[in-house]
Amino acid sequence: MFESVDPVILARIQFAANITFHILFPTISISLAWVLLFFKLRYNKTGDESWMDAYRVWVKIFALTFALGVVSGITMSFQFGTNWPGYMETVGNIAGPLLAYEVLTAFFLEATFLGIMLFGMRRVSNRVHTIATLLVAGGTTLSAFWILALNSWMQTPAGFEMIDGRAHVTSWLAVIFNPSFPYRLVHMLLASGLTVAFLVAGISAYRWLRNDRSREVLHSLRTGVTLAAVLIPLQIVAGDLHGLNTLHHQPAKIAAMEGIWKTEKGAPAVLFGLPNATTRSNDFEIAIPKLASLYLTHAIDGEIRGIDAFGDRHPPVAPLFFAFRIMVGVGLLMLAVSWLGAWQLRRRGAPSTWLARALVAMTFSGWIALVAGWYVTEIGRQPYLVYGVLTTAQAASKVPAAMIGSTLAMYLSLYLLLIVAYVSVVFHLARKAGMTKQIDLSPAGLQPAHAADTGSAQ
């Protein structure tokens, strides 16, 4: 069945399936940990138990997300040896230590104090529990720091020299803080924040539509909407700066994203089109003259290098072209919904039915924008695995296509099942939280909960 397919293409698809599934969960855990810390700090400052109720609901979702992130990360790491042995053989002196730093400084920190977050709420003091939450949040961000340092180095390698076909570090500072790292880190952290903002707002809106009108739900809803409204303008600015950095270091990626086939001054912004690799043009193109040059070079007649300037060393145009527009389109939708939602919550104090439904529909919109943006980043690096240093074909293994294809089918089936299960469990926890809250609001249910909370505070 798979014998006629290029093994390198299959290996790329398999790794893409693994990284796509894996990245969904760290993206949530990175920022959700900070949202949990915010809930905890608000409880500490106000003594309002509804903030702690929000913490209890979302820490369960955090634990579920963290577990899936760990498991999928282990599976993905195996592929460095099975599908891409040439990668570690060539740049293992750089990739290996960076991955090890992530485990030693971040993963152990998260895993250790996550236990206190989950099971120590009534066993340690409130201060210790708050510190544990802070350390887990810091650990998730530190994990992102190391992983993005490696990924950014693969996009814009620096601080090394090649000796006998292997990369050797000349400056670890240059490796870690490579030219694209600051932009990529900020862009990713903001994307994580937006993903969590719409997740929290969407699940809270779902509970609101189910007539769960508790203060906890309203607190969570306002937190999610406000966070989204604040972060999306920052993401637009960060994206613009990141695009300028990419234009400087990876101009072929920008040409493919924008659908610019020929080098020209005053390049148009292509709003829609169907990239045609045969004619090297866009069919049914709708474009705004000179706009691409304006926002990419900040000069209306700025020159943009087209695909024709890179010979055969350029990424496939169509995947980048459409993925980029999906990312931008979802981002603009996030901007509209979050700002309208923030305005309505400020004016009315509670969401209308249409706003709640819109937020529920956008619960996992962050995932869509994230995956689209990640595809732009990773496919845009082709034909290189390490830009300008190691091509994908050079790093690939000799595993037969049939073997890769069969495991790919297994991965896809399992991942589809797990994603459906994850989304189902998240909404199940939301429904369960609403039912529990209704029970606890009864006179018979108030006293035991109050007594337990008093005991934990002591």
Side-chain angles (χ1 to χ4, degrees):
M1 178 178 178
F2 297 101
E3 287 79 1
S4 60
V5 183
D6 183 355
V8 176
I9 296 296
L10 281 176
R12 285 177 56 193
I13 294 173
Q14 186 181 91
F15 194 79
N18 277 274
I19 191 66
T20 299
F21 179 75
H22 171 69
I23 199 175
L24 301 178
F25 303 106
T27 303
I28 291 177
S29 60
I30 289 168
S31 290
L32 186 53
W34 290 104
V35 171
L36 287 170
L37 179 62
F38 172 75
F39 288 159
K40 193 68 190 292
L41 293 176
R42 290 297 297 163
Y43 167 72
N44 293 345
K45 182 177 180 179
T46 65
D48 185 349
E49 189 65 28
S50 59
W51 287 107
M52 202 60 201
D53 290 338
Y55 184 98
R56 293 188 188 100
V57 170
W58 285 99
V59 77
K60 296 175 185 177
I61 295 175
F62 177 84
L64 173 66
T65 306
F66 183 84
L68 282 173
V70 170
V71 172
S72 58
I74 293 172
T75 303
M76 185 184 66
S77 65
F78 287 149
Q79 294 196 355
F80 286 127
T82 58
N83 287 14
W84 311 105
Y87 174 74
M88 280 299 184
E89 184 177 338
T90 305
V91 300
N93 292 331
I94 295 173
L98 291 178
L99 291 173
Y101 296 157
E102 189 268 338
V103 173
L104 294 174
T105 65
F107 178 73
F108 286 167
L109 185 68
E110 298 170 69
T112 300
F113 289 96
L114 178 60
I116 298 176
M117 281 180 62
L118 294 175
F119 308 113
M121 199 175 298
R122 302 182 189 277
R123 294 177 173 85
V124 299
S125 68
N126 184 60
R127 176 177 294 180
V128 170
H129 192 263
T130 302
I131 292 173
T133 304
L134 172 62
L135 291 174
V136 170
T140 59
T141 304
L142 190 57
S143 179
F145 176 93
W146 290 116
I147 296 301
L148 286 168
L150 174 56
N151 183 266
S152 299
W153 182 84
M154 293 166 64
Q155 303 280 345
T156 52
F160 74 103
E161 61 180 354
M162 298 298 294
I163 301 176
D164 296 329
R166 298 182 183 224
H168 294 265
V169 175
T170 57
S171 170
W172 275 111
L173 282 178
V175 167
I176 296 170
F177 298 99
N178 58 79
S180 68
F181 172 69
Y183 304 95
R184 205 174 302 278
L185 178 65
V186 171
H187 198 54
M188 183 63 188
L189 291 180
L190 288 173
S192 172
L194 285 166
T195 301
V196 168
F198 277 94
L199 175 66
V200 171
I203 294 299
S204 302
Y206 174 74
R207 293 176 62 184
W208 185 270
L209 289 173
R210 291 176 60 85
N211 294 317
D212 183 357
R213 305 299 166 87
S214 61
R215 286 170 56 82
E216 166 217 335
V217 171
L218 196 55
H219 285 329
S220 299
L221 182 61
R222 285 176 174 169
T223 299
V225 171
T226 303
L227 183 62
V230 170
L231 292 185
I232 189 64
L234 298 178
Q235 183 69 304
I236 292 172
V237 174
D240 178 63
L241 295 174
H242 188 21
L244 295 177
N245 178 265
T246 304
L247 178 64
H248 179 71
H249 293 282
Q250 295 176 303
K253 180 187 291 186
I254 291 294
M257 288 164 52
E258 297 293 340
I260 299 173
W261 293 90
K262 297 180 180 180
T263 301
E264 59 183 306
K265 295 182 178 180
V270 181
L271 302 181
F272 177 80
L274 299 177
N276 189 325
T278 302
T279 62
R280 302 182 73 80
S281 64
N282 301 314
D283 298 334
F284 309 106
E285 180 178 286
I286 300 175
I288 300 177
K290 300 183 181 294
L291 183 59
S293 288
L294 181 62
Y295 63 68
L296 286 172
T297 67
H298 293 181
I300 197 165
D301 289 321
E303 182 176 276
I304 305 296
R305 297 170 67 187
I307 294 294
D308 61 352
F310 305 100
D312 60 349
R313 295 284 176 166
H314 65 80
V317 177
L320 266 69
F321 182 87
F322 291 116
F324 178 67
R325 277 146 189 78
I326 291 172
M327 179 186 69
V328 172
V330 174
L332 292 175
L333 188 59
M334 286 178 167
L335 177 67
V337 172
S338 63
W339 278 24
L340 286 172
W343 173 78
Q344 185 179 105
L345 290 175
R346 182 178 179 86
R347 183 182 179 188
R348 297 182 44 174
S352 63
T353 300
W354 71 262
L355 175 61
R357 288 175 176 170
L359 290 172
V360 172
M362 293 191 66
T363 300
F364 292 99
S365 58
W367 274 1
I368 299 173
L370 174 84
V371 170
W374 195 254
Y375 282 7
V376 169
T377 295
E378 298 306 296
I379 299 176
R381 188 177 53 209
Q382 295 301 316
Y384 294 103
L385 200 56
V386 179
Y387 199 77
V389 176
L390 177 69
T391 67
T392 303
Q394 289 171 337
S397 70
K398 303 298 182 182
V399 177
M403 180 67 73
I404 300 175
S406 60
T407 54
L408 171 61
M410 180 189 69
Y411 279 134
L412 291 176
S413 301
L414 179 60
Y415 289 161
L416 179 61
L417 178 64
L418 287 175
I419 288 176
V420 171
Y422 175 83
V423 173
S424 301
V425 170
V426 167
F427 279 99
H428 169 73
L429 290 173
R431 292 192 296 271
K432 184 178 178 181
M435 291 186 291
T436 302
K437 191 66 180 176
Q438 292 173 11
I439 294 172
D440 287 345
L441 286 174
S442 66
L446 282 174
Q447 185 59 38
H450 176 72
D453 292 329
T454 302
S456 68
Q458 292 172 348

